[in-house]
């Protein structure tokens, strides 16, 4: 965790209204990771090392995959972001029914080119998509069998930014 502490003090001689920051302490959770700064008017603080920690919301590998509770005939939505070049977010889910799964990876940022990869429980690559959705967005439609575990990797060919991932499970209708 990263904590930033601001200390406000006055000697009661201040005649301006508003908030004034006297000192800032940054704690990073890394051993020895505390730095304190006394600030003067207009001073800029730079060079803070946060310990090179990966601040991803979701895991970057199958072993670290975040679980998605996929419910039959409903849509699961995840809003996140690609934080840096090479970043991937990996999710796992169990098929709630036999049928089809539609997967959309979309962004409103034209500089981001989403990319999807779907793996089975053994880690075998089943499907990929780069631009099967609208514009540069990704889309997959795959058959699923109830109880099967899958892993889904969301990433970007180019660019960093926010995305929305949708998983829609539909049942096979009997004739």
């Amino acid at each position: 965790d990263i904590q930033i502490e601001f200390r406000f003090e006055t000697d009661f001689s201040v005649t301006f209204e508003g908030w004034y920051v006297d000192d800032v302490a940054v704690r990073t959770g890394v051993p020895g990771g505390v730095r304190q700064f006394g600030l003067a008017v207009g001073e800029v603080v730079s060079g803070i090392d946060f310990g090179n920690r990966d601040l991803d919301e979701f895991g970057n590998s199958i072993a670290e995959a975040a679980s998605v509770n996929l419910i039959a005939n409903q849509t699961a939505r995840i809003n996140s972001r690609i934080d840096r070049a090479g970043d991937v977010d990996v999710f796992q889910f169990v098929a709630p029914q036999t049928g089809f799964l539609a997967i959309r990876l979309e962004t409103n940022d034209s500089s981001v080119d989403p990319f999807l990869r779907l793996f089975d429980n053994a880690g075998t690559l089943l499907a990929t998509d780069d631009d099967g959705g609208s514009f540069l967005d990704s889309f997959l439609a795959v058959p699923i069998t109830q109880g099967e575990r899958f892993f889904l990797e969301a990433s970007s060919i180019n660019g960093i930014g926010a995305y929305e991932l949708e998983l829609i499970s539909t049942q096979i209708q009997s004739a």
Side-chain angles (χ1 to χ4, degrees):
D1 290 339
I2 298 171
Q3 298 177 354
I4 300 177
E5 176 183 294
F6 297 94
R7 194 176 89 211
F8 304 92
E9 289 185 3
T10 182
D11 60 5
F12 300 105
S13 65
V14 175
T15 58
F16 299 103
E17 292 183 16
W19 289 94
Y20 300 89
V21 178
D22 291 325
D23 295 303
V24 176
V26 178
R27 292 177 181 82
T28 65
V30 177
V34 177
R35 287 188 60 190
Q36 282 197 246
F37 307 91
L39 299 177
V41 174
E43 185 176 358
V44 176
V45 176
S46 62
I48 299 173
D49 180 4
F50 291 105
N52 197 24
R53 297 181 57 178
D54 186 1
L55 300 177
D56 273 347
E57 300 88 354
F58 299 105
N60 294 319
S61 67
I62 287 176
E64 301 171 324
S67 294
V68 176
N69 185 22
L70 193 57
I71 299 172
N73 300 314
Q74 292 190 16
T75 300
R77 284 187 181 85
I78 298 163
N79 291 289
S80 189
R81 62 179 288 109
I82 301 300
D83 296 310
R84 60 182 158 41
D87 184 23
V88 296
D89 291 341
V90 183
F91 305 92
Q92 63 175 311
F93 60 91
V94 175
Q97 62 193 1
T98 298
F100 289 93
L101 181 68
I103 306 166
R104 290 189 190 108
L105 182 58
E106 301 177 333
T107 181
N108 290 326
D109 187 340
S110 62
S111 69
V112 179
D113 185 2
F115 187 69
L116 281 172
R117 295 183 352 151
L118 182 68
F119 301 87
D120 67 12
N121 193 47
T124 303
L125 182 63
L126 300 175
T128 64
D129 186 73
D130 181 11
D131 297 331
S134 301
F135 304 105
L136 297 177
D137 295 335
S138 297
F139 178 81
L140 288 172
V142 294
I144 56 173
T145 302
Q146 184 176 10
E148 283 183 308
R149 178 173 304 280
F150 295 91
F151 294 91
L152 182 63
E153 183 180 280
S155 63
S156 175
I157 298 290
N158 293 306
I160 59 173
Y163 68 79
E164 180 176 80
L165 177 64
E166 284 188 345
L167 295 94
I168 306 162
S169 164
T170 57
Q171 191 172 18
I172 295 177
Q173 301 296 322
S174 44

